[in-house]
Amino acid sequence: MIHSADKLLDVMKVPVSGDPTSAVLAVDHREPHEAPVACDILVVGGGLGGVAAASAAARRGRRVCLLEETDWLGGQITAQGVSALDEHDHIESFGGTRSYYQLRDAIRDHYRALLEAPPREPFNPGNCWVTRLAFEPKAGLGALNALLAPEIDSGYLRIFPRCKASAVETEGDRIIALRALDLETGRHPRFEFDYVLDATELGDLLALSNSEYVVGAESIAETSEPHAQPEGAKSHCVQSCTYIFALERRAAGESHVIAEPEGYAHYLESQPYSFKIHVHGGEIYGEETGWLQYQLFEDMPGTKGPLWKYRRLIEAGQFPGSYANDLTMFNWPGTDYRDRPLVDLKPEELAAALRDAKRVSLGFIHWLQTAAPNPSGAPGFPELMLRPDVMGSIDGLSKYPYIRECRRIKALKTITEQDVAVAHQPGPRAAHFADSIGVGWYPIDIHQAGAGDVGVSTRTKPFQIPLGALIPERLDNLIAANKNIGTTHITNGCYRLHPVEWNIGEAASALAAQAIESGRKPRAIHADPEQLRALQADLLGDGVPICWLIDVPHSSADFSPVQRLAMAAGYADKGDQLTFAPTEPLPAEARGKILAALAADRDPCGNAPVSRAAFAAALAEAGLT
């Protein structure tokens, strides 16, 4: 059966003014397609999840094709402009995968080459207050391209930029081929594969393949989540998107005011444009629920710093001779587009929505330059200069809007608020998932969209990523590899961030590779404890943590056996801590509980005193974990 789209939107071509449908392309499926491109794994979408998936699969010796509709790989950190990473307190040593740390190190190395003196550690080019690593999108792009270069050179990975899926061919519950449109040339490449990973930003492949999926906010009756919709699901309540931009702080007296965009008066009132925001306690902004008043360059009581330093990408003072002025990226409630959700719109409707979303962000820039409160004098900061080169676009906005929420698969496992929120998880960790294939941590952070959206935000405990959330209920060879996994509207708010999306992509490709090698479907691998353990061991060997033990990082020789021990036997006497204490002696009582949990009939270390890490290693060597 053929499932096809007659029209596609070229998001990069959406204009700020004029007819937005000029970016809509008709797809003529009568046009002859090219000879099929054969691969083992097709990854559709070149964001963080897609890049991580393609890289990991190619490293495993699988033939991979990667499609990306923009001309920049990297999604959130590049084409979407959010290059101030949304991470967590432990990220410098734990909580990301080995390859994610390699990406972070490569970005830092790019800027280290510009330094004249050793930097403050951890080195942050932007020295901002929301993250430990902020940078220009092009630096992220360069690091990603370098990371993929060995796989491209080896021939295992082929990248198809500016290509968007236009049709899929199915047989029963399998997708056997995909046709794409090259948005620049009009060519129609066709791909045949064993497995296809949906890493698109809006979950486009779910809709195109007629897969079962969820949109918007569920009801309490559906999920039992305390903060779900009380009276019924609301599909229009999808988190708002944002077009990101970067500004340079030029010398006082200069004027770089942009023209007032169409619709400015409307958005001035309806957004509204302001430095004052309402926050929920436990968000990244503060501990207490209420209103916070920021200023652009001044510290305000109760805040973590001025808005200029919130997501600053470059602190010029660290790079004398390389940067004359600071550079800041803006991702702020005032730039959120809330008029309508982006999912399940016709291409013409989506084009109009994105045009308006661009006007929202340009309006915020104009307000900053002309009307924002300025304690030093007249309203506005005309010296702020829009930097189109930073985002690689003509209009100065990101090539693609920052997408917080998309279509979500109906999965074997749907993660709920109760699984992760502090109110429901009394220990140091969130709910334990025996099928864990990764970890993450971030508050539930919902950017409201749509009338009646609950918009809850709350703290979470460090959580795991269950394999079941990546596997659709029905389709056999489609795997979710982005923020389109089995979450609810609420838990999407903590599973959508940079390191989690990267981890999801890596795990999705590992699952696809094992499915090919074993001849088993992903659902069968998930249901078979032996196959599941083999997948987890493979991920651990690749430096992917699957449970939270923050003092045994991926670089430690103890990493894999310690992780395997915790997954097989629990945390024993360390159940109330995030640490493992690898060098400490293991008390006899705890040792006995571990052996009992493993149903082991002997202690591989005998009666000799042993450190915790050495005991974990002995259990692994004996095949007990």
Side-chain angles (χ1 to χ4, degrees):
M1 181 179 293
I2 303 293
H3 307 270
S4 60
D6 295 329
K7 296 178 181 178
L8 293 176
L9 176 63
D10 185 349
V11 176
M12 284 180 55
K13 297 291 180 65
V14 172
V16 172
S17 60
D19 182 7
T21 63
S22 62
V24 177
L25 304 175
V27 184
D28 187 353
H29 294 283
R30 297 170 300 177
E31 287 287 327
H33 56 72
E34 302 170 22
V37 179
C39 58
D40 299 319
I41 298 171
L42 176 66
V43 182
V44 184
L48 285 180
V51 170
S55 176
R59 290 198 309 269
R60 286 175 167 82
R62 290 294 159 191
R63 296 172 301 150
V64 183
C65 290
L66 172 62
L67 277 59
E68 165 55 28
E69 63 180 288
T70 72
D71 57 1
W72 280 8
L73 295 174
Q76 292 190 53
I77 69 169
T78 59
Q80 295 179 37
V82 189
S83 53
L85 301 178
D86 291 310
E87 297 175 328
H88 53 77
D89 290 345
H90 300 294
I91 193 61
E92 290 302 325
S93 58
F94 190 87
T97 74
R98 179 185 298 144
S99 62
Y100 183 74
Y101 285 113
Q102 290 170 347
L103 172 62
R104 294 172 93 250
D105 289 344
I107 292 169
R108 281 178 165 151
D109 286 346
H110 168 80
Y111 289 101
R112 288 184 192 278
L114 305 178
L115 296 173
E116 295 181 356
R120 294 185 295 271
E121 296 293 347
F123 176 38
N124 187 348
N127 193 25
C128 54
W129 56 260
V130 76
T131 180
R132 292 161 179 80
L133 181 56
F135 50 90
E136 297 155 287
K138 287 182 180 178
L141 178 64
L144 288 170
N145 287 338
L147 184 147
L148 294 175
E151 280 65 57
I152 294 172
D153 292 343
S154 71
Y156 284 109
L157 174 60
R158 295 181 64 185
I159 298 176
F160 295 79
R162 301 289 285 138
C163 272
K164 190 165 185 173
S166 62
V168 297
E169 183 178 345
T170 62
E171 285 185 357
D173 291 333
R174 286 185 62 83
I175 303 173
I176 62 171
L178 181 144
R179 189 176 182 183
L181 175 66
D182 187 312
L183 300 171
E184 293 293 338
T185 68
R187 293 171 46 240
H188 294 269
R190 184 175 186 268
F191 301 87
E192 296 179 349
F193 42 81
D194 293 315
Y195 280 84
V196 58
L197 277 50
D198 184 356
T200 60
E201 297 301 331
L202 291 171
D204 291 339
L205 202 54
L206 303 181
L208 188 60
S209 63
N210 203 30
S211 179
E212 293 77 14
Y213 62 86
V214 180
V215 169
E218 295 89 347
S219 67
I220 292 177
E222 290 175 298
T223 67
S224 300
E225 294 172 302
H227 291 100
Q229 290 291 332
E231 297 180 358
K234 294 184 177 180
S235 61
H236 67 278
C237 289
V238 176
Q239 286 202 63
S240 51
C241 74
T242 299
Y243 268 104
I244 306 299
F245 56 87
L247 299 179
E248 178 184 348
R249 186 182 187 183
R250 303 285 292 184
E254 292 188 22
S255 179
H256 301 277
V257 176
I258 67 169
E260 181 181 298
E262 295 175 55
Y264 177 69
H266 166 68
Y267 291 117
L268 184 64
E269 297 300 323
S270 64
Q271 282 301 99
Y273 294 144
S274 175
F275 290 150
K276 186 177 182 180
I277 62 171
H278 189 269
V279 301
H280 294 267
E283 278 189 354
I284 57 176
Y285 302 104
E287 300 300 322
E288 303 296 328
T289 296
W291 290 90
L292 281 180
Q293 178 66 59
Y294 286 84
Q295 287 293 342
L296 189 58
F297 296 119
E298 288 78 23
D299 284 311
M300 295 293 288
T303 69
K304 297 181 180 181
L307 184 56
W308 183 258
K309 295 181 181 179
Y310 171 43
R311 291 183 181 269
R312 183 170 56 185
L313 305 181
I314 295 294
E315 183 188 35
Q318 294 190 85
F319 307 99
S322 297
Y323 296 92
N325 302 298
D326 282 5
L327 188 66
T328 285
M329 176 267 282
F330 281 83
N331 172 19
W332 188 247
T335 64
D336 285 354
Y337 172 74
R338 309 180 185 91
D339 288 0
R340 51 180 158 175
L342 302 186
V343 294
D344 287 348
L345 295 181
K346 296 178 180 178
E348 297 88 347
E349 296 171 330
L350 181 56
L354 294 183
R355 179 199 59 187
D356 291 346
K358 286 191 170 190
R359 291 173 176 176
V360 169
S361 289
L362 291 171
F364 189 78
I365 297 169
H366 185 75
W367 176 81
L368 281 173
Q369 295 171 325
T370 63
N374 186 341
S376 301
F381 301 86
E383 70 273 19
L384 298 179
M385 184 174 74
L386 181 61
R387 288 283 302 274
D389 59 305
V390 174
M391 296 298 162
S393 66
I394 295 174
D395 56 27
L397 304 175
S398 53
K399 294 172 180 286
Y400 201 98
Y402 172 38
I403 302 298
R404 297 186 176 95
E405 183 177 347
C406 65
R407 301 174 181 90
R408 308 184 302 278
I409 62 168
K410 288 189 176 180
L412 299 185
K413 163 66 181 177
T414 298
I415 307 156
T416 65
E417 179 183 355
Q418 301 93 304
D419 290 325
V420 297
V422 292
H424 303 276
Q425 296 297 326
R429 304 171 182 83
H432 179 74
F433 296 131
D435 64 339
S436 175
I437 41 78
V439 300
W441 191 25
Y442 202 76
I444 293 173
D445 179 18
I446 306 293
H447 286 239
Q448 293 189 27
D453 192 13
V454 174
V456 65
S457 294
T458 186
R459 284 202 183 282
T460 65
K461 295 294 176 70
F463 53 76
Q464 295 168 306
I465 306 168
L467 176 64
L470 279 62
I471 303 174
E473 291 179 338
R474 180 178 61 84
L475 287 179
D476 288 334
N477 68 331
L478 173 69
I479 301 172
N482 196 316
K483 57 182 72 69
N484 55 351
I485 65 170
T487 58
T488 64
H489 171 64
I490 290 176
T491 54
N492 170 79
C494 62
Y495 276 79
R496 62 179 172 82
L497 291 313
H498 299 83
V500 182
E501 183 185 334
W502 184 273
N503 192 151
I504 290 168
E506 278 202 67
S509 69
L511 174 61
Q514 182 167 328
I516 293 170
E517 292 161 9
S518 67
R520 294 171 177 252
K521 298 175 182 178
R523 284 192 297 277
I525 291 173
H526 180 262
D528 184 332
E530 190 172 318
Q531 287 285 322
L532 175 60
R533 190 167 78 166
L535 175 64
Q536 291 172 326
D538 181 32
L539 289 167
L540 290 172
D542 238 19
V544 178
I546 58 177
C547 62
W548 277 89
L549 291 166
I550 62 175
D551 57 346
V552 187
H554 71 85
S555 56
S556 169
D558 301 321
F559 172 73
S560 182
V562 165
Q563 290 271 315
R564 290 169 64 173
L565 170 58
M567 289 300 298
Y571 301 97
D573 58 330
K574 295 292 184 179
D576 60 347
Q577 303 171 39
L578 285 179
T579 55
F580 183 76
T583 61
E584 290 182 4
L586 186 64
E589 182 179 358
R591 195 161 154 178
K593 288 182 178 179
I594 290 171
L595 293 169
L598 295 173
D601 57 5
R602 62 184 180 83
D603 186 333
C605 296
N607 296 319
V610 66
S611 72
R612 306 175 72 89
F615 189 63
L619 292 173
E621 188 173 346
L624 294 172
T625 60

